[in-house]
Amino acid sequence: RVDRRQRQMCIRDRLSETDMSNGQADLLNTIRTSGDSLLAVVNDILDFSKIGSGHMSLRSETVDLTGLVDSTAQAFAAQSSKSGLELVTRSASDVPPRIVGDAIRLKQVLTNLVGNALKFTDDGFVQISTQLGQSESGEALLQFDIEDSGCGIPTEKIVSLFDEFTQVDVSHSLSLIHISEPTRQAEIS
């Protein structure tokens, strides 16, 4: 049985194989990205409920780390360019190109963090950095840092940032709404 989403994808894919004007191709691309974004939101909501109930399980698969970080940055290239922001990726030389982990969850966390950084940065840059660290027990840790030149969060508000469903005012015209999903996902191991 083919569900509605699969039929829509099939129609969208079939349309992409036809001759179209540039305007039609742009509209089809908008349909594609909007549909993918909506599906991502629905999946995020479902995952959040799984995390909250303790039923989230992680996959163990080989992950092309370089490709995952690059594709995450590429997904935001148009948005960053339109906003006049430089989107940079950096990886320390000792970071392996492949790891074993859950590519879907890792990309979801990076996507949420990079999306927030772009959303709350007016000018300058957003940088995704990857480096290798070590836990207290000596296990290798992979650390991702999302740095931006945005306005930042007042020191007194940082404590509440990782509470569920909080909103942190970072300026008169800007507020950061945080649902602690990325943090919870990052802590699952």
Side-chain angles (χ1 to χ4, degrees), residues 4 43 64 79 82 89 101 105 112 127 168:
R4 184 178 182 154
N43 285 334
D64 174 5
Q79 179 183 347
K82 183 177 178 183
T89 61
R105 300 292 171 246
N112 287 336
Q127 178 174 292
V168 178

Side-chain angles (χ1 to χ4, degrees), residues 65-77:
L65 186 59
T66 304
L68 186 136
V69 171
D70 288 346
S71 70
T72 301
Q74 186 60 39
F76 288 102

Side-chain angles (χ1 to χ4, degrees), residues 87-102:
L87 182 56
V88 181
T89 61
R90 293 220 164 97
S91 182
S93 60
D94 60 347
V95 172
R98 288 178 177 63
I99 61 168
V100 173
D102 189 328

